[in-house]
Amino acid sequence: MLIPRTIEETVRNISSTFPVLLLTGPRQVGKTTLLESILEPGRKKVSLDNMTARSLAKEDPELFLQRYAPPVMIDEIQYAPELLPYIKILVDERKQCGDFWLTGSQMFRMMKDVSETLAGRVGIIPMQGLSNSEIQGNHFHAFSVNPSELMDRMAVASPMGLMDIFDRIYRGSMPRLYEIDSINTDIYFESYIDTYLSRDIRDLRQVGDLTAFLKFIKIIAARTATNVNYEAIAGEAGISAPTAKQWLSILVSSGLVILIEPYSNNVLKRVVKAPRMYFMDTGLCAHLMGWSSGTVLEGSAMSGAFFETWVVGEIYKSYLNTGKRPPMYFYRDSNKKEIDIILYQDGILNPIEVKKNSAPKDAVRNFSVLKPLEKASNEENVFLNTGQLKAEVGTGAVICMAKDILPVDRKNWYIPAWLI
């Protein structure tokens, strides 16, 4: 069963704007399936997974592009970077938007070549697995804490209980797992990890020991929804801190992990500067940690971290799917006061707390750390790390297991997690 993707409109817009479209993301998130579903008559298709096609592309790129002349879809472009200079020549000659559709999953190998060779000619779209709304058959705009927009969602979204959400968290977001219900998730994720290590990681000079790298991935999975501490990670993994930083950058470039930067400016003091890391596919994360079911996971000490990881991932995907850079930050200071998510758009900060409870008390108490910004918002020389001079604190939210959108107070709202 093909699940329609919200990002399809973004793909069409980029294709009509740039000569080259590059759809990137982790393996098996549906990049090829999406492009094949909108493939127009006359567009050729070739995969560089095919060794014959790959050999031709690497050994004689010019002949390859005669055989597969634009408009064309080239799958797994990272296997033949030799094509890129010749694609540039054709693009400059033809000046046709949408001539080349490219996909690639090894972003750490590919992005530098693409950005250098096809600068100004390529629209790059990062893609992730299915969002909860897509699985439910909905296609929402990027997440907003605007109550009126959320009320509109209430009319079409399907309510979910706590165990429904944890079953979703445990299963993850890979499309294949929703196309065939009978797939064994353990076998699927073991195969996924083997493929990732053998095809994406094996030849990287930065990774000399695949066994040590797999141990490292499991350590990162266990630390999802925590601030990055390279020294602690390195000590646990038995590697150096620089190696830990390098290996984490590989996971980020692969799209398996995201880093959310801390929000700071010269008004708020003693802000922790380390980013926070999240595993994007909660199913893969749960498998790496050895959880056996959503029920067991929900009852574990990690349930809060997985719930937060899922919420952050859903919001993050909602922006990617609409072609936007996620405007997401978090807050933590030396007094250990935290705000899980801060959305910063149009000069307005929207603080968001994530709680697994149905009506968590005092969930918005840490929002008060942003009050100095309200006082300083009309003053000069207030410089934020986001590049803006002023900021206003807007509507806040507590994303939790509430059954309805309800006010916490005059400025903050409880939002059901299944609405994101």
Side-chain angles (χ1 to χ4, degrees):
M1 177 185 69
L2 178 65
I3 298 177
R5 305 301 297 267
T6 305
I7 204 170
E8 179 181 323
E9 183 178 352
T10 299
V11 170
R12 292 185 185 277
N13 288 340
I14 291 295
S15 181
S16 64
T17 305
F18 292 92
V20 183
L21 176 151
L22 173 60
L23 191 60
T24 70
R27 288 189 172 275
Q28 300 182 30
V29 296
K31 302 183 295 296
T32 304
T33 301
L34 169 60
L35 293 185
E36 288 178 340
S37 71
I38 62 174
L39 204 71
E40 67 271 40
R43 182 178 294 274
K44 305 173 186 68
K45 182 184 72 171
V46 58
S47 174
L48 298 182
D49 263 335
N50 181 295
M51 291 305 299
T52 301
R54 187 190 305 184
S55 296
L56 179 61
K58 292 178 73 67
E59 295 169 9
D60 196 338
E62 192 169 11
L63 181 60
F64 177 91
L65 291 174
Q66 289 180 24
R67 168 64 180 84
Y68 299 103
V72 61
M73 169 186 164
I74 304 175
D75 204 18
E76 305 290 7
I77 187 64
Q78 73 276 0
Y79 289 132
E82 295 85 353
L83 286 173
L84 297 177
Y86 293 87
I87 290 175
K88 177 184 176 181
I89 292 170
L90 280 176
V91 162
D92 290 346
E93 288 176 352
R94 290 170 54 86
K95 295 180 171 59
Q96 294 290 322
C97 290
D99 259 357
F100 290 90
W101 290 358
L102 312 177
T103 75
S105 56
Q106 298 177 18
M107 289 178 279
F108 40 84
R109 290 179 169 177
M110 178 177 54
M111 296 305 294
K112 183 179 180 181
D113 289 339
V114 169
S115 59
E116 289 180 354
T117 307
L118 299 176
R121 302 165 179 85
V122 59
I124 301 172
I125 307 174
M127 182 176 177
Q128 284 286 340
L130 292 167
S131 67
N132 186 58
S133 58
E134 287 173 324
I135 295 169
Q136 291 190 349
N138 297 316
H139 301 283
F140 297 134
H141 296 298
F143 178 77
S144 164
V145 296
N146 186 312
S148 62
E149 291 185 17
L150 293 170
M151 293 291 184
D152 292 339
R153 293 190 181 197
M154 287 284 292
V156 294
S158 301
M160 300 173 71
L162 182 63
M163 290 317 306
D164 294 325
I165 287 180
F166 268 87
D167 285 343
R168 183 66 42 82
I169 289 172
Y170 179 75
R171 198 165 187 84
S173 61
M174 297 296 181
R176 184 67 173 168
L177 297 177
Y178 294 89
E179 293 169 359
I180 304 175
D181 291 336
S182 60
I183 287 182
N184 183 300
T185 56
D186 285 333
I187 294 174
Y188 175 85
F189 284 122
E190 275 302 305
S191 174
Y192 187 96
I193 294 166
D194 288 344
T195 302
Y196 176 66
L197 292 175
S198 63
R199 300 184 66 178
D200 293 352
I201 301 300
R202 180 176 296 279
D203 296 330
L204 288 182
R205 286 178 292 179
Q206 302 97 314
V207 181
D209 185 340
L210 290 182
T211 301
F213 190 75
L214 177 57
K215 178 182 177 182
F216 176 81
I217 297 175
K218 292 180 178 180
I219 290 169
I220 298 301
R223 288 173 170 267
T224 189
T226 66
N227 288 11
V228 176
N229 183 328
Y230 292 113
E231 294 290 343
I233 294 169
E236 194 172 346
I239 57 178
S240 68
T243 298
K245 186 173 184 178
Q246 193 173 54
W247 285 7
L248 182 59
S249 72
I250 290 173
L251 294 181
V252 172
S253 296
S254 302
L256 296 182
V257 172
I258 59 170
L259 298 180
I260 303 297
E261 295 297 325
Y263 177 83
S264 64
N265 56 48
N266 64 355
V267 175
L268 304 177
K269 308 298 183 181
R270 300 184 299 277
V271 176
V272 173
K273 296 182 178 180
R276 183 163 289 183
M277 58 187 178
Y278 294 93
F279 236 86
M280 276 303 287
D281 190 276
T282 53
L284 177 59
C285 189
H287 175 79
L288 287 165
M289 292 190 63
W291 298 112
S292 60
S293 70
T295 301
V296 174
L297 177 57
E298 190 280 324
S300 74
M302 286 290 294
S303 63
F306 268 84
F307 188 77
E308 180 182 332
T309 298
W310 182 74
V311 168
V312 168
E314 290 299 308
I315 294 175
Y316 195 90
K317 284 184 282 190
S318 78
Y319 283 92
L320 294 186
N321 287 342
T322 51
K324 299 177 181 179
R325 183 187 298 275
M328 298 174 67
Y329 301 85
F330 78 98
Y331 177 91
R332 180 181 171 90
D333 60 28
S334 57
N335 296 322
K336 297 184 179 180
K337 290 186 177 180
E338 294 187 2
I339 300 174
D340 293 329
I341 304 168
I342 294 177
L343 297 181
Y344 180 75
Q345 298 181 92
D346 301 324
I348 298 175
L349 297 166
N350 299 113
I352 300 172
E353 194 67 19
V354 181
K355 298 291 184 184
K356 199 182 75 168
N357 315 63
S358 59
K361 297 180 180 179
D362 299 324
V364 302
R365 66 183 183 277
N366 287 341
F367 292 0
S368 61
V369 300
L370 300 178
K371 283 187 176 180
L373 289 173
E374 296 180 322
K375 182 179 178 181
S377 62
N378 293 320
E379 299 176 2
E380 298 297 327
N381 302 318
V382 178
F383 185 77
L384 312 181
N385 68 339
T386 53
Q388 301 294 323
L389 292 177
K390 298 178 182 179
E392 174 187 343
V393 181
T395 302
V398 181
I399 297 177
C400 58
M401 288 308 304
K403 295 182 179 180
D404 200 352
I405 302 171
L406 298 169
V408 178
D409 53 37
R410 290 184 178 182
K411 202 169 185 178
N412 303 294
W413 295 78
Y414 290 121
I415 297 175
W418 42 269
L419 273 186
I420 59 175

